[in-house]
């Protein structure tokens, strides 16, 4: 049974940085694409960033381009979301996901709260 465990959320002032981590276990992480989503009470779940299984194609939401960066460590079975120049509108619960299955992902993290204050 595969698992994703997130860490790194927290509270920060606007302009600050946070780095989220997502550690995978119990499945063939190397063969999977990965992604980060976020959800806030005001918005539907939003795809923030993704990386395909081959590791060559990144996607970023327009709202985070130039500020967020997804990376992964095959050796550590972990992937990350570095978030810089944070804005109040980045506030939400961030979820990591792995192994694309159609329009969804097979594995999901538990979610971690990111709160950006003005």
């Amino acid at each position: 049974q595969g698992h994703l465990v997130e860490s790194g959320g927290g509270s920060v002032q606007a302009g600050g940085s946070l780095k989220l981590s997502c550690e995978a276990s119990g499945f063939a992480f190397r063969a999977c694409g990965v992604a980060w989503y976020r959800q806030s009470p005001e918005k539907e779940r939003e795809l923030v960033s993704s990386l395909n299984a081959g590791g060559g194609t990144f996607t970023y939401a327009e709202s985070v381009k130039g500020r967020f960066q997804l990376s992964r460590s095959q050796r550590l079975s972990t992937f990350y979301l570095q978030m810089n120049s944070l804005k109040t509108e980045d506030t939400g619960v961030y979820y990591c996901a792995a192994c694309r299955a159609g329009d969804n992902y097979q594995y999901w993290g538990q979610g971690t709260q990111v709160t950006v204050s003005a």
Side-chain angles (χ1 to χ4, degrees):
Q1 184 71 17
H3 293 283
L4 296 176
V5 178
E6 299 182 44
S7 61
S11 298
V12 65
Q13 287 191 320
S17 298
L18 285 172
K19 186 173 184 178
L20 307 183
S21 300
C22 184
E23 183 175 1
S25 63
F27 63 94
F29 176 74
R30 288 176 177 268
C32 288
V34 297
W36 288 95
Y37 285 81
R38 68 185 179 190
Q39 175 97 59
S40 67
E42 300 82 20
K43 301 178 184 178
E44 294 184 354
R45 188 180 68 181
E46 174 187 23
L47 174 63
V48 176
S49 182
S50 69
L51 175 62
N52 69 332
T57 303
F58 291 86
T59 68
Y60 291 94
E62 284 295 326
S63 59
V64 306
K65 280 183 179 178
R67 301 188 297 121
F68 290 13
Q69 182 174 20
L70 187 157
S71 61
R72 72 187 292 171
S73 169
Q74 298 285 33
R75 181 178 66 84
L76 298 177
S77 295
T78 302
F79 59 106
Y80 309 91
L81 185 68
Q82 176 68 48
M83 305 184 293
N84 299 323
S85 301
L86 282 161
K87 303 177 181 180
T88 55
E89 52 262 44
D90 294 319
T91 293
V93 179
Y94 283 68
Y95 297 91
C96 60
C99 300
R100 189 76 180 264
D103 293 333
N104 206 338
Y105 285 83
Q106 187 173 359
Y107 302 105
W108 290 84
Q110 78 277 16
T112 187
Q113 178 71 42
V114 171
T115 302
V116 184
S117 58

